[in-house]
Amino acid sequence: MPYDDSPPPTRRARPLAVAAALAAVSLTAAGCGGEQSDRPDAAPPRPGADGVSPSASASASASASASGKPLPKGPLTGRTVVIDPGHNPGNRDHTREINEQVDMGTGRKECDTTGTSTNDGYAEARFTLDVSHRLRALLEAEGARVRLTHDADRPFGPCVDERARIGNEAKADAVVSVHADGSAVGNRGFHVILPARVKGGGADTTPIVKSSADLGARIAGHFARTTGSAPSNYVGGKTGLDTRDDLGGLNLSTVPKVFVECGNMRDPEDAALLTSESWRQKAAQGMADGVSSYLKG
């Protein structure tokens, strides 16, 4: 969930529909090829639990996988992907810190939020880490250098400005922020949030709007095909794509970036999927296939 516990209002959908994305997927196969409310500032990066700046840890060896083993050679060799697991399991114990205002480029918002959860208590922060680990493994298997903005290795955060900065400093070819929504019962399906054209303060998304839209459309198409989930019935006009200008993690990005809201944790039917290990693997695979399709061009 991007960073409020309330669902965002339906916003203008990009003209790229999931059907078009799925058509692009078919061509590629044929050989033609979360933050609900953001918050970050120009404050210096906060140290992690080990006293090391997450930006520094994210800049670790580019030639090694998360396990420390050499990366295999593959179609994504030489490409860098940053995965941003939404929220942090420790945020709930650091409400004062995460409520501090930070700069989101065009205004100020809280550093982060706790995220949402299922009615049975499965936290979004746990979900996002699990899916992010699966996504990292899949991308590394294709040779990509993968970095996480955090791995629950710090007390809270990072703040949304720092999340954007980690991707920028890594000069990532793509950034995916993993989330799940917290909307009303009956609101179902996934959606991918794209950056709006924003220019003001420290934000200028002009250079990344088009590439992020391409990345998002490819992820939406593959996600739908792999998971069997339908595009959201309450956000994005059933295209599976939603454009927003109020998320610091997108506003402050200088590299292609999207948020993926994998489903609605407050709807029992969606919650049954989100709590399923086999479905989470499919979700990670759908995102990995979309990222791979985008990076291969």
Side-chain angles (χ1 to χ4, degrees), residues 39-41 43-56 96-102 110-112 154-162 165-166:
R39 333 149 182 197
D41 212 3
R46 302 173 186 270
D50 56 2
V52 177
S53 162
S55 295
R96 179 181 62 81
E97 291 89 343
I98 66 172
N99 282 328
E100 290 183 6
Q101 297 280 304
V102 296
E110 300 89 338
C111 159
D112 203 353
R154 53 188 292 162
F156 63 91
C159 295
V160 294
D161 57 339
E162 186 179 347
R165 188 161 55 245
I166 291 170

Side-chain angles (χ1 to χ4, degrees), residues 35 38 193-195 205 208 247-253 257-259:
E35 218 178 296
D38 251 303
I193 303 175
L194 313 175
T205 62
I208 67 164
L247 301 179
L250 295 180
N251 289 358
L252 296 171
S253 184
K257 182 174 182 177
V258 298
F259 280 51

Side-chain angles (χ1 to χ4, degrees), residues 15 52 67 75 83 110 130 139 146 166 177 196 206 218 260 280 284 297:
V52 177
S67 65
I83 302 172
E110 300 89 338
D130 179 87
L139 292 171
V146 181
I166 291 170
S177 190
T206 305
R218 290 174 187 263
V260 182
R280 293 197 300 272

Side-chain angles (χ1 to χ4, degrees), residues 81-198:
V81 179
V82 169
I83 302 172
D84 180 27
H87 313 288
N88 181 325
N91 280 0
R92 60 185 297 175
D93 299 320
H94 294 273
T95 54
R96 179 181 62 81
E97 291 89 343
I98 66 172
N99 282 328
E100 290 183 6
Q101 297 280 304
V102 296
D103 180 19
M104 57 170 276
T106 56
R108 297 181 70 82
K109 283 190 174 181
E110 300 89 338
C111 159
D112 203 353
T113 68
T114 59
T116 188
S117 69
T118 66
N119 292 332
D120 291 332
Y122 181 51
E124 180 187 359
R126 288 177 54 201
F127 169 83
T128 64
L129 276 172
D130 179 87
V131 173
S132 293
H133 290 160
R134 296 170 188 273
L135 177 56
R136 177 176 62 186
L138 291 166
L139 292 171
E140 285 186 341
E142 290 197 71
R145 296 184 297 261
V146 181
R147 302 169 185 178
L148 267 59
T149 58
H150 78 95
D151 201 0
D153 50 356
R154 53 188 292 162
F156 63 91
C159 295
V160 294
D161 57 339
E162 186 179 347
R163 290 174 187 265
R165 188 161 55 245
I166 291 170
N168 296 345
E169 291 177 353
K171 294 181 172 54
D173 296 294
V175 183
V176 179
S177 190
V178 181
H179 287 268
D181 209 355
S183 188
V185 173
N187 289 346
R188 296 200 60 198
F190 74 90
H191 63 279
V192 180
I193 303 175
L194 313 175
R197 194 174 300 278
V198 171

